[in-house]
């Protein structure tokens, strides 16, 4: 059981920095936002597609971050919620001709329900036991999607092809670019929501539970409610990310949502820094681009190169991109003083 | 009825392998409080080494012993080089390290021995055991080796100085250090032993699942499940968990309609989770009482 306590005690170990550490400073945020708006104007369609991928995977990492960094619960089952979101979106768009903008909130609400319900039995489990339970969910999901009686909607093993939406109102934009800005708006909205959620009463309750469950319940926090709530919110955001991925990739199939995806999201969270929301995008960049770099260095040994790069990252900065950001902040502070 | 006994016996045989894997997992969990996600790949690599030795003309048991010794040394080396520097890092960082190790071993094995499926010999033969149709000699051999291993480990931990020192280092590291036990080396020793136990599991299961770099993926998941079911703090529980998971997996595959091979794993995991919801520390795990 001590693994659990470690998660709990380790998470705030870097917390000596100001409360702001959950977000970026105002100046940095504006610069990052301007870059995110400007880059696609000068980039090719493939690069824009990759940036879109970065955004929605970053969103999924953010969701995991709310769960693990916020409430201290560990999940290897995020790929299941991601799959549900993607499939709900794809099925609604293709079988029922619903507009894609409306599909995302439905995917979110549905995933919230599933996550909340899954959080109920998960309440009694923690640490590695919770990891195993969520892992079971992740391994079961591709098999469930292949089930015969769902095949009519899900397309079984073959999966479903999704039509890419055009830019509305006759805007002079390529489909990729429109989808990028659409994704950016959704991700920004959810990011701002998440930052505020973690600063709110509920967010503080999450963190109190993460830091010390017994003390939290002694203070009158309904531990069961907030733990399941964290699961629900995390699942909902993951579901929206899955929905965005279905629209962007234009294809869903059971084998895109295996445990590998859940592991990638987990690595993204660790590399970005557990509990630091802006790190989610850095983590997503790591899981998208580093395998490509590894492939470039050696085709046959790409897995090994990826492993070595991952080891390098965790040796140099065990707390992920968050540690780099804190170092940068301190350095900037020192420069200002001189 | 014959089908039932047959399935139970086959379950016990694969359960023996899960028990070995679970035991290896528990060994490392006791030493450093982490689940080793790369345990299966380490076992796979050891199995490949023994296979390579046999290709070079060394007889089975010679290759078996050499592979065990190499795995033991390799396990210690992995701890010293890769994970000792991470001892103070956050838990999730350690998990990322295990995943990295997994990727490295899997990819290197693929490069050295490629991904084609290879036959692996069994030292016991595959004839029916003692003329009975229920179980093959290899399955009987798997159970036998596991039982021998368990007895050996029991005596090691119960009656030798170094076994006692390892137990002390695992349960109360501070006090152990005060009485002069080198806890850091006890952890490395735990890694070495876990690696060797995993190698035994790998070499026993290889004739059944065939030899290839991804052969341990499924086995490791069942091993985890077994360890968690039996209780991560109890080696005895891990072994019982292994046999239970093996038997249940076989029975569910045979008797629950529509389960087949595809849904066997999710069903087994679902059962384990239901057990955990009732008994969160596993069947034989120690409850850690928290003071308020």
């Amino acid at each position: 059981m001590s693994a659990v306590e470690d998660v709990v005690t380790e998470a705030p170990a870097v917390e000596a920095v100001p409360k702001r550490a959950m977000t970026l400073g105002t100046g940095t945020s504006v610069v990052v936002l301007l870059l995110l708006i400007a880059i696609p104007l000068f980039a090719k369609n493939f690069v824009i597609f990759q940036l879109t991928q970065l955004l929605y995977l970053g969103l999924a990492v953010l969701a995991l971050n709310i769960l693990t960094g916020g409430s201290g619960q560990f999940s290897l089952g995020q790929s299941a919620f991601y799959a549900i979101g993607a499939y709900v979106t794809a099925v609604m768009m293709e079988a029922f001709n619903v507009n894609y903008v409306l599909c995302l909130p439905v995917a979110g609400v549905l995933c919230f329900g599933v996550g909340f319900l899954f959080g109920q039995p998960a309440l009694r489990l923690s640490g590695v036991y919770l990891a195993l339970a969520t892992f079971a969910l992740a391994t079961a999901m591709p098999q469930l999607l292949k089930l015969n009686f769902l095949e009519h909607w899900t397309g079984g093993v073959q999966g479903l092809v999704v039509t890419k939406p055009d830019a509305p109102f006759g805007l002079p934009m390529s489909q990729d670019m429109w989808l990028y800005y659409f994704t950016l708006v959704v991700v920004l909205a959810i990011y701002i929501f998440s930052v505020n959620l973690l600063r709110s009463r509920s967010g503080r309750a999450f963190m109190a539970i993460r830091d010390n469950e017994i003390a939290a319940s002694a203070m009158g926090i309904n531990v069961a409610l907030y733990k399941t709530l964290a699961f629900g919110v995390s699942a909902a955001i993951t579901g929206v990310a899955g929905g965005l991925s279905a629209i962007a990739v234009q294809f869903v199939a059971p084998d895109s949502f295996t445990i590998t995806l859940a592991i990638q999201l987990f690595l993204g969270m660790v590399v970005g820094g557990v509990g630091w929301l802006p790190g989610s995008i850095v983590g997503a960049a790591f899981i998208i681009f580093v395998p490509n770099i590894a492939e470039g260095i050696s085709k046959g040994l790409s897995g090994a190169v990826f492993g070595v790069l991952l080891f390098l990252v965790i040796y140099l900065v065990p707390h992920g991109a968050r540690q780099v950001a804190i170092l940068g902040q301190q350095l900037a502070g020192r420069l200002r003083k001189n | 009825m014959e089908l039932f006994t047959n399935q139970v016996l086959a379950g016990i045989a694969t359960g023996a392998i899960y028990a070995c894997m679970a035991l290896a997992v528990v060994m490392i969990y006791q030493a450093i409080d982490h689940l080793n996600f790369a345990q299966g790949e380490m076992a796979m690599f050891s199995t490949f080494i023994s296979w390579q030795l046999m290709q070079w003309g060394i007889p089975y048991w010679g290759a078996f012993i050499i592979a065990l010794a190499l795995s033991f040394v390799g396990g210690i080396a992995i701890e010293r080089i890769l994970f000792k520097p991470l001892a103070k890092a956050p838990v999730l960082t350690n998990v990322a390290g295990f995943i990295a190790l997994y990727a490295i071993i899997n990819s290197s094995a693929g490069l050295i021995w490629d991904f084609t499926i290879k036959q692996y010999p069994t030292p016991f033969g595959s004839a029916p055991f003692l003329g009975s149709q229920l179980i093959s000699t290899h399955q009987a051999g798997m159970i036998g080796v596991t039982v021998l291993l368990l007895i050996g480990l029991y005596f090691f931990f119960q009656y030798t100085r170094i076994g006692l020192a390892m137990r002390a280092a695992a349960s109360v590291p501070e006090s152990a250090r005060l009485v002069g036990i080198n806890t850091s080396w006890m952890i490395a020793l735990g890694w070495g032993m876990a690696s060797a136990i995993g190698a035994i599991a790998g070499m026993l299961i290889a004739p059944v699942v065939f030899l290839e770099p991804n052969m341990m993926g499924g086995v490791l998941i069942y091993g985890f499940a077994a360890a968690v079911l039996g209780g991560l703090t109890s080696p005895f529980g891990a072994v019982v968990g292994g046999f239970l998971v093996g038997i249940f997996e076989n029975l569910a595959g045979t008797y629950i309609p529509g389960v087949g091979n595809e849904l066997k794993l999710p069903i087994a995991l679902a059962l384990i989770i239901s057990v955990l919801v009732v008994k969160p520390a596993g069947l034989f795990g120690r409850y850690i009482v928290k003071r308020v």
Side-chain angles (χ1 to χ4, degrees), chain A residues 1-3 5-7 10 68 74 76 121 124-125 128-129 132-133 135-136 139-140 143-144 146-147 214 263 266-267 269-270 274 300-304 306-308 310-311 314-315 318-319, chain B residues 29 33 35 37 81-83 85-86 88-93 95-97 99-101 103-104 107-108 111 221 224-225 228 232 262-263 265-266 269 272-273 276-278 280-281 288 290 292:
Chain A
M1 283 280 153
S2 59
E5 283 145 27
D6 283 353
V7 174
E10 292 295 347
T68 309
F74 181 62
L76 272 177
R124 289 185 51 98
L125 309 172
V128 284
Y129 297 94
L132 186 84
F135 179 83
T139 46
Q143 306 299 343
L144 295 178
K146 285 179 198 163
L147 284 183
I214 297 162
I263 290 174
F266 166 77
L267 288 181
M269 177 179 70
V270 172
V274 180
L301 272 178
S302 60
F306 177 75
V308 171
L310 186 55
F311 259 122
I314 57 180
Y315 279 145
H319 294 279
Chain B
Y29 187 80
D33 281 338
L35 283 179
F37 288 91
I81 299 166
L82 294 178
F83 286 95
L86 286 179
K88 291 210 162 52
V91 173
L92 299 181
T93 308
V95 177
I99 295 172
L101 181 64
I104 293 174
S107 161
S108 321
L111 191 80
I221 294 172
F224 272 149
V228 172
L232 278 167
E262 292 281 88
L263 277 174
L265 179 62
L269 289 172
I272 290 154
I273 291 158
L276 286 183
V277 169
V278 183
I288 293 163
K290 283 187 198 156
V292 182

Side-chain angles (χ1 to χ4, degrees), chain A residues 3 18 46 78 95 116 122 146 162 194 205 225 239 283 290 300 317 335:
Chain A
F46 178 67
Q78 295 301 101
F116 192 81
K146 285 179 198 163
V162 181
S194 312
L225 176 71
V290 171
V317 277
L335 284 179

Side-chain angles (χ1 to χ4, degrees), chain B residues 103-245:
Chain B
I104 293 174
I105 298 180
N106 188 289
S107 161
S108 321
L111 191 80
I112 304 174
W113 292 291
D114 72 51
F115 286 89
T116 51
I117 293 172
K118 294 174 179 63
Q119 290 275 351
Y120 191 89
T122 160
F124 310 109
S126 49
F129 181 59
L130 297 179
S132 136
Q133 292 301 310
L134 293 175
I135 185 171
S136 74
T137 38
H138 180 71
Q139 284 172 320
M142 274 155 74
I143 299 173
V145 171
T146 309
V147 170
L148 278 181
L149 176 70
L150 290 176
I151 296 173
L153 280 177
Y154 177 79
F155 279 98
F156 174 75
F157 279 114
Q158 220 61 33
Y159 297 107
T160 64
R161 274 187 82 82
I162 196 150
L164 183 65
M166 279 178 75
R167 282 195 294 150
S171 53
V172 258
E174 287 82 10
S175 320
R177 223 169 286 139
L178 284 177
V179 294
I181 295 170
N182 188 341
T183 48
S184 158
W185 272 101
M186 290 303 136
I187 291 175
L189 202 57
W191 267 83
M193 288 179 64
S195 169
I197 295 172
I200 295 179
M203 288 187 271
L204 287 179
I205 194 98
V208 182
V209 297
F210 298 111
L211 187 60
E212 49 118 3
N214 295 318
M215 68 178 220
M216 294 305 277
V219 180
L220 178 67
I221 294 172
Y222 286 112
F224 272 149
V228 172
L229 178 67
L232 278 167
T233 45
S234 155
F236 170 73
V239 172
V240 176
F243 285 112
L244 284 179
V245 169

Side-chain angles (χ1 to χ4, degrees), chain A residues 198-272:
Chain A
L198 288 176
R199 280 185 186 158
S200 72
R201 212 182 139 82
S202 312
R204 288 184 205 289
F206 288 163
M207 286 181 241
I209 292 170
R210 175 195 71 191
D211 291 341
N212 190 332
E213 204 172 313
I214 297 162
S217 73
M219 284 193 301
I221 292 171
N222 186 340
V223 173
L225 176 71
Y226 281 105
K227 277 179 120 176
T228 41
L229 205 61
F231 242 104
V233 170
S234 171
I237 298 176
T238 314
V240 173
L244 286 170
S245 86
I247 305 171
V249 182
Q250 303 173 64
F251 181 62
V252 290
D255 290 333
S256 341
F257 308 109
T258 54
I259 186 72
T260 316
L261 175 67
I263 290 174
Q264 282 180 325
L265 296 178
F266 166 77
L267 288 181
M269 177 179 70
V270 172
V271 170

